[in-house]
Every structure is written in C-alpha cells, then in structure tokens.
Amino acid sequence: MAEAMTSPGWKRKPPAAEGEESSGASNAEAPVQVQKGGFRGLIMRAAGWSMVGYVVVQVLRIASSLILTRLLIPEMFGIMAIATMVQVSVAMLSDLGLRPAAIQSRMGDDRSYLDTAWMLQIIHGCFIWLVCVLIAVCIGQGAVQGWFPPGSVYTVRELPAVIIGTCFSTVIMGLQSTKLISAYRHLDLGRITVIEIVAQVISLTVAVLLAWYTGSIWSFVLSTLVSSAATTVLSHLWLPGENNRLRWDRAAVADLIRFGRWIMLSSILTVIAANGDRILLAGWTSPAMLGLYILAFNLIAMLEGAGGRLFSSVAMPALSKVARERPEQLSSVYQKVRLPFDLVFIGSAGAVYASGKVIIDLLYDDRYLNAASIIEILSFSLLVTRFGVMSAVYLAIDEPRNQSVLNFIRAVSVFVCVPLAYYAFGFSGALWAIALHALPTLPVIFHFNSRHRLNNPLYETTVLLAWPVGYAAGWITTMVFEHFGKVL
C-alpha cells in the first residue's frame, strides 16, 4: 500500500478504485451503511447518535456541576478555569487537523496514512505538554516576582501544579487510536458515542468521590486524567479496524502538512480567541468572580457546543462527501443543514436573556446568584457565534485558510475590544465585548460564502425573528416560576 501512495498515478484514480484498494474495516462497511438508507439515512443516524451522546454528556456535566458546586468553594472553579483553558488549548494544538484532514482526504482510508497520522499525534501531544510545563513554571515564577496583580488568579500558589497535572491528559489523548478518525469519516458514530458517555461517567464518579472525600481541587485534575485514559484505551480495544503501529510515509506527511498547516495556524488562533476572555479576566478579577463567570459561560457553551458538535461530527463529513461527489448540490444541502441550528441558537439567546435569574436560581445556591447578570449578557454571543459553524463548512470544501483568517480576526478583536471595554465601562463592559467580539468576522464570512453562492440575505434577516419568540418563552417561564415561588 505504501507503494500505491507514493506512486504518481495513485491520486488520479477515481474514488471507487480508491475505496477498493483502501484497507480497514470502516471503509469496507461504509457502502453497506449507505445502501440501507441512502445518504440521507446515514446522516440522520449519525446525527441521532451525535445528539444522544451530546445530551447525555451535557446532563452528566450539569449533574457534576450541581454536585461539585456544593462540595467545593467558588474560588476553585476560577483556579480550574485557567488550568482547563490551558488543557483545552493544548488539546486543540495537539490535534494537528488530523481528523478533518483524514475526513476530507482521498487517502483517508489508507493504513499507512493513518499510521503516520498516529505517529505525528503522539509526538505532538508530548511536545505540547512540555510546552505547558514551561508555561506553568513561568506563571509560578511570575507570581513570586510580583508580575501579576495581588489577589488575581495567577497568584494562587497551587495553579502551576494544577496546570501541569491537567495538561498531562494531552500525552494520554495523543495515544488515541486513529480508529476514531475512521469512524468519523464514515459517520459511524455509535461506538464513539458510547465511549464518550462511559468516559464522562467515569470522570463524574471520580470527581464527585474525590471532592466529597478531600474537598480538594485535585479532584478535577485526577478526573480529567482518568477520563482521557478511558477514552484512549477504549479507542484501541473496542472500535473495529486495524490497530495502529508507528510508521512514516512521505506522501501521507505531505498531505497532512498541506492541509494541517492551515489547521495548525487556525488552532493557534482559535486558542487565543477562545481563551482570551479568561486570560484577561484572570488578571482583573478574583478567583471567586472568575468562577462565577465560568459557570455562566459554561451554560452558554453547552448550547454552542450542540451546534458545533453536530457540524464537526456529522455536517462536516456529510458536506465533504457532497463536495467530493456532488459539488453542484453544496449550496442547497448547506441551507437545509443550517436552518435548525440558527433557529435553536437565536431562540435560545432570547430565552436565556429573559430567564437568566431563574436559570441560576434553579441550578445553584445563593453563593452563585451574581452569575445571573453575566449569563444574560453572554446570551447575545449566540447571535454571532452561530456563524462559527462556517469553519466546518470551509474544512469540508478544502479551504482551511478561511478558518485561519476568521480566527485571526476573532483573536485580534478579543485582545483589542475587551480591554478597551473593561477600562471604559468596567467588568460589565468587558462582558459585552466578550459576547460580541466575533461581530467583525461577519463581513468576511459573507465574502467567503459568495464564492460558493452560500449567501441568502432574506434568510439571514428572517431567521432573527426567532429571538423575540425565544424571549417570550423565557419571560413566560420566568413569570411562572416567580408566581409559584411566591405561592410556596
């Protein structure tokens, strides 16, 4: 197979020939799946599994949050927010764009291609963890030398050790089998969903037991490491297909670098844009206030995550298939896929803005009441971040550079607008800037979409009517709960 990859004529073979030559169980099963219900049926099954997994995982996370906020003090959530920021950043950087590269590549089913990707994944995961160790050491030295404002999150003595422990998960996740990538490529998400749920259950159990027994922030760290280990082990033992082995194929490396160089740049910019709020707020606020912000932010992120998950795990592979095989249908498929996402995002923005206080009252105790005003402001981010799904579309049509441009604009906007708003209007102004920092990307998105005839001004205007509908639903909900609260 290595000879087939390096031969000049290999890439010119039609898709059918490539599928016949490719190895791996996932590739062999894909035609059978399509025959059972067609392409639409395959998408619906994948979307069903994806949403089942997302709903179950979010229920478990909410349960974890409700339990842990009663076992631990708010300051610990602020400290962990910075460690988690670094851990999530590392996870994104260690991805190298391997999943989208393999999903859209015509070589994505070749064994030597996947083994090469696995080797790169391991190397990069270890490298990024070492970088994070250096970052943690620098933060610790900065706190000793007085680089940070007294009382800020960066001055907490335990923070460097928590960062080092949490980020070791990237080494563990780097060992994950590329069977996961193959399953996403063929929209075979059943077992992946089960693995994700099992890992979350294990993580929740470990976190709650340790928090109850010790009351320590290390319950977060150990639960993260155990969850990563469970996912990695199950990816090798339970998913179908050939096991990985270390291999270095030049043709595979060339293809990964061609696609991955833009993904890596985009990942770096995504890390900066997505975590700029915590980077800045950690230097301006106390651990307790940052903890309140993170709780409110996570509630909004759950809504954003539902759309992002469906687009990355279902829509992106589906649109990639359309772009490869039926490019003339790309625009119509895109419009059909996007509508339900926009209705949910915009409607939810209105509902959360109207019912923020009720949401916090129901979920948390009196120590967290100040999070209500934060979640109301952050709800407006849903009006803008719904366009973030375009990143998956650009990957599907093999234009990863578009994603890099958008993430660059977001990163600049965060580090320019948020400080200006904070020093002009205080913490509340910073929250509004965080919620709307992606606004400058909209003209660029419409420009990129025009190349593929994806714009529809009437649609973009009409869909905003979902906001007042959502607001009305949220207002009614608030009135009902306040009425029953007075009665009780």
Side-chain angles (χ1 to χ4, degrees):
M1 181 58 68
E3 293 179 359
M5 285 187 64
T6 54
S7 116
W10 190 86
K11 292 183 180 179
R12 293 194 295 268
K13 293 181 181 180
E18 291 174 357
E20 293 168 1
E21 290 187 3
S22 300
S23 61
S26 295
N27 189 47
E29 293 171 358
V32 177
Q33 292 175 322
V34 175
Q35 288 175 2
K36 288 180 180 179
F39 184 55
R40 180 181 177 84
L42 181 61
I43 293 177
M44 295 304 295
R45 285 194 298 273
W49 275 114
S50 183
M51 285 313 298
V52 166
Y54 185 80
V55 170
V56 172
V57 167
Q58 293 309 315
V59 168
L60 291 172
R61 286 179 178 172
I62 292 174
S64 175
S65 177
L66 295 178
I67 297 172
L68 293 176
T69 52
R70 286 158 175 79
L71 295 175
L72 303 173
I73 59 177
E75 285 80 355
M76 290 185 181
F77 291 90
I79 297 169
M80 197 61 197
I82 299 303
T84 303
M85 174 191 70
V86 178
Q87 186 266 334
V88 170
S89 301
V90 168
M92 294 175 66
L93 292 173
S94 62
D95 185 21
L96 282 175
L98 300 178
R99 182 184 299 176
I103 287 174
Q104 64 82 39
S105 176
R106 295 187 182 276
M107 296 187 288
D109 289 316
D110 190 88
R111 175 47 45 194
S112 60
Y113 184 93
L114 293 173
D115 286 341
T116 301
W118 188 60
M119 185 172 178
L120 288 173
Q121 181 177 278
I122 293 172
I123 294 172
H124 204 254
C126 294
F127 172 76
I128 292 297
W129 179 68
L130 293 176
V131 171
C132 285
V133 171
L134 294 177
I135 292 173
V137 171
C138 290
I139 290 176
Q141 287 299 311
V144 173
Q145 299 297 327
W147 296 349
F148 309 116
S152 68
V153 183
Y154 294 123
T155 61
V156 176
R157 186 175 59 181
E158 296 87 354
L159 180 59
V162 171
I163 291 175
I164 293 172
T166 302
C167 291
F168 187 74
S169 62
T170 58
V171 176
I172 301 173
M173 299 295 277
L175 296 170
Q176 282 187 350
S177 173
T178 58
K179 296 174 186 177
L180 284 168
I181 296 177
S182 297
Y184 276 110
R185 175 178 170 86
H186 296 293
L187 296 172
D188 186 13
L189 306 187
R191 293 196 181 194
I192 291 180
T193 302
V194 174
I195 289 175
E196 186 176 13
I197 293 173
V198 169
Q200 192 65 34
V201 169
I202 294 173
S203 175
L204 169 60
T205 303
V206 171
V208 171
L209 289 177
L210 289 177
W212 174 76
Y213 184 72
T214 67
S216 169
I217 194 173
W218 287 96
S219 57
F220 285 118
V221 177
L222 292 177
S223 67
T224 298
L225 296 178
V226 170
S227 176
S228 299
T231 302
T232 299
V233 170
L234 290 173
S235 72
H236 285 278
L237 298 182
W238 201 48
L239 291 179
E242 296 182 28
N243 293 323
N244 289 114
R245 65 185 181 90
L246 298 177
R247 194 184 316 204
W248 190 267
D249 187 283
R250 291 183 179 180
V253 172
D255 187 75
L256 287 167
I257 291 177
R258 178 195 65 80
F259 193 89
R261 61 186 177 183
W262 292 106
I263 297 299
M264 180 176 291
L265 175 60
S266 179
S267 295
I268 294 172
L269 295 171
T270 298
V271 167
I272 296 172
N275 298 291
D277 55 345
R278 276 151 283 188
I279 293 172
L280 295 171
L281 292 178
W284 296 332
T285 64
S286 65
M289 181 58 72
L290 183 62
L292 295 177
Y293 170 80
I294 292 302
L295 289 176
F297 177 88
N298 286 342
L299 292 174
I300 298 296
M302 288 181 185
L303 296 172
E304 296 178 359
R309 177 188 178 93
L310 277 176
F311 253 82
S312 63
S313 62
V314 180
M316 188 264 178
L319 290 171
S320 294
K321 185 177 180 66
V322 172
R324 289 195 306 266
E325 301 175 3
R326 293 170 287 169
E328 70 282 355
Q329 298 182 14
L330 179 64
S331 179
S332 61
V333 173
Y334 160 75
Q335 292 291 344
K336 292 178 182 178
V337 168
R338 187 181 159 193
L339 178 60
F341 291 97
D342 283 344
L343 292 177
V344 171
F345 272 45
I346 298 172
S348 297
V352 172
Y353 182 71
S355 59
K357 186 176 184 301
V358 168
I359 293 172
I360 299 300
D361 283 344
L362 288 176
L363 295 180
Y364 304 108
D365 58 43
D366 292 344
R367 294 175 297 171
Y368 301 91
L369 290 179
N370 288 333
S373 60
I374 298 176
I375 194 175
E376 289 172 358
I377 295 175
L378 294 182
S379 69
F380 283 89
S381 66
L382 293 171
L383 299 178
V384 185
T385 55
R386 64 191 175 92
F387 290 98
V389 298
M390 291 307 306
S391 295
V393 177
Y394 298 144
L395 294 180
I397 59 180
D398 198 16
E399 291 189 4
R401 71 183 68 184
N402 293 357
Q403 185 184 47
S404 299
V405 172
L406 295 177
N407 286 330
F408 174 77
I409 296 173
R410 292 189 189 102
V412 172
S413 180
V414 166
F415 284 94
V416 171
C417 297
V418 175
L420 289 176
Y422 175 78
Y423 288 111
F425 305 104
F427 183 68
S428 178
L431 292 178
W432 280 106
I434 290 169
L436 302 175
H437 78 275
L439 273 176
T441 64
L442 298 189
V444 182
I445 289 175
F446 294 141
H447 170 69
F448 289 153
N449 288 356
S450 65
R451 302 176 184 174
H452 302 279
R453 299 180 180 179
L454 299 179
N455 287 328
N456 188 332
L458 179 61
Y459 167 86
E460 300 294 350
T461 304
T462 305
V463 76
L464 293 176
L465 295 174
W467 192 92
V469 174
Y471 180 88
W475 182 82
I476 293 173
T477 301
T478 299
M479 294 298 102
V480 170
F481 275 97
E482 288 183 350
H483 172 73
F484 281 103
K486 292 179 181 178
V487 172
L488 296 175

